[in-house]
């Protein structure tokens, strides 16, 4: 699979080993064959039914069922993420995978729901016994604005950011001209109390950049900001809708 990501993208560099499970974010495999960012012409809106599709797919996987529900929503074309969380205040991350390449949501939501549930190597695969404790979040990405002049020209409450750190120095760990990339979805930085500068520092770290001086990071950062439509559903909501026992 050449386009799945785990809520933070850094080109096959794992963002969260066991010591980082409590931290937001995940990695991404390449966005497309040319490394280009996909842009949807009109914002798609995430719905509860998309979340229910995620539960359909993971439940069918765990029970061996071959009769999945037919998605009952518009087949938008956009980048997307699926995030599994343990219900808590605040929720605990349980798995997150998505893509920065535009995909048809009717097929992609189920695909990434399963990948996030069983292929996020930071976590063991989701089991049937824990479904009742889970909620799922679908994020449909839109309104990409590339090559910002100011690397801090984005809103912590509104935007996700994707950053290419283009290094212009050579040392033992970084090669001259190398590009390291990472992304955080909208709301991630705000949820853990990071400032914009702190967010860029964390993105650089997760992308594998050794540089820690914020002035150098700001100089090397090519920032794309974007927004998302997000919907969340709990197991209880899913079970009631699908007429399953709670």
């Amino acid at each position: 699979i050449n386009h799945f990501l785990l809520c933070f993208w850094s080109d096959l560099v794992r963002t969260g080993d066991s010591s980082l499970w409590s931290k937001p974010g995940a990695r991404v495999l390449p966005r497309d064959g040319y490394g280009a960012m996909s842009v949807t012409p009109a914002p798609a809106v995430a719905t509860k039914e998309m979340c229910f599709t995620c539960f359909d797919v993971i439940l069918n996987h765990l029970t061996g069922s071959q009769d999945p529900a037919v998605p009952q929503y518009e087949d938008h074309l956009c980048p997307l993420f699926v995030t599994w969380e343990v219900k808590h205040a605040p929720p605990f991350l349980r798995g997150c995978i998505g893509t920065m390449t535009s995909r048809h949501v009717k097929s992609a939501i189920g695909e990434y729901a399963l990948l996030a549930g069983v292929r996020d190597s930071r976590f063991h695969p989701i089991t049937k016994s824990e479904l009742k404790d889970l909620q799922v979040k679908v994020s449909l990405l839109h309104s990409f604005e590339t090559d910002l002049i100011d690397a801090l020209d984005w809103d912590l409450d509104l935007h996700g950011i994707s950053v290419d750190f283009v290094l212009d120095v050579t040392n033992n760990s970084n090669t001259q001209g190398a590009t390291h990339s990472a992304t955080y979805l909208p709301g991630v930085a705000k949820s853990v109390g990071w400032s914009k500068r702190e967010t860029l520092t964390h993105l650089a770290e997760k992308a594998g950049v050794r540089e820690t001086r914020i002035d150098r990071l700001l100089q090397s950062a090519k920032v794309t900001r974007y927004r998302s439509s997000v919907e969340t559903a709990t197991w209880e909501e899913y079970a009631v809708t699908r007429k399953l026992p709670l």
Side-chain angles (χ1 to χ4, degrees), residues 169-228:
V169 297
T170 300
N171 56 37
N172 292 334
S173 58
N174 291 323
T175 301
Q176 185 173 3
T179 299
H180 299 253
S181 304
T183 192
Y184 280 132
L185 295 176
V188 168
K190 186 67 175 290
S191 70
V192 292
W194 292 338
S195 68
K196 294 181 182 180
R197 291 172 179 265
E198 288 172 329
T199 301
L200 287 175
T201 300
H202 284 285
L203 279 170
E205 177 186 352
K206 299 304 184 290
V209 176
R210 301 291 184 178
E211 179 62 66
T212 59
R213 291 170 294 179
I214 187 62
D215 60 325
R216 296 298 298 274
L217 292 176
L218 289 172
Q219 291 173 4
S220 68
K222 292 187 176 180
V223 178
T224 294
R225 68 185 186 188
Y226 58 88
R227 306 184 189 189
S228 67

Side-chain angles (χ1 to χ4, degrees), residues 6 62 83 93 109 115 139 173-174 188:
L6 310 176
L62 294 172
T83 305
L93 181 65
I109 284 178
L115 288 171
S139 301
S173 58
N174 291 323
V188 168

Side-chain angles (χ1 to χ4, degrees), residues 58-70:
I58 198 73
L59 184 61
N60 287 338
H61 171 75
L62 294 172
T63 60
S65 172
Q66 300 297 317
D67 187 27
V70 177

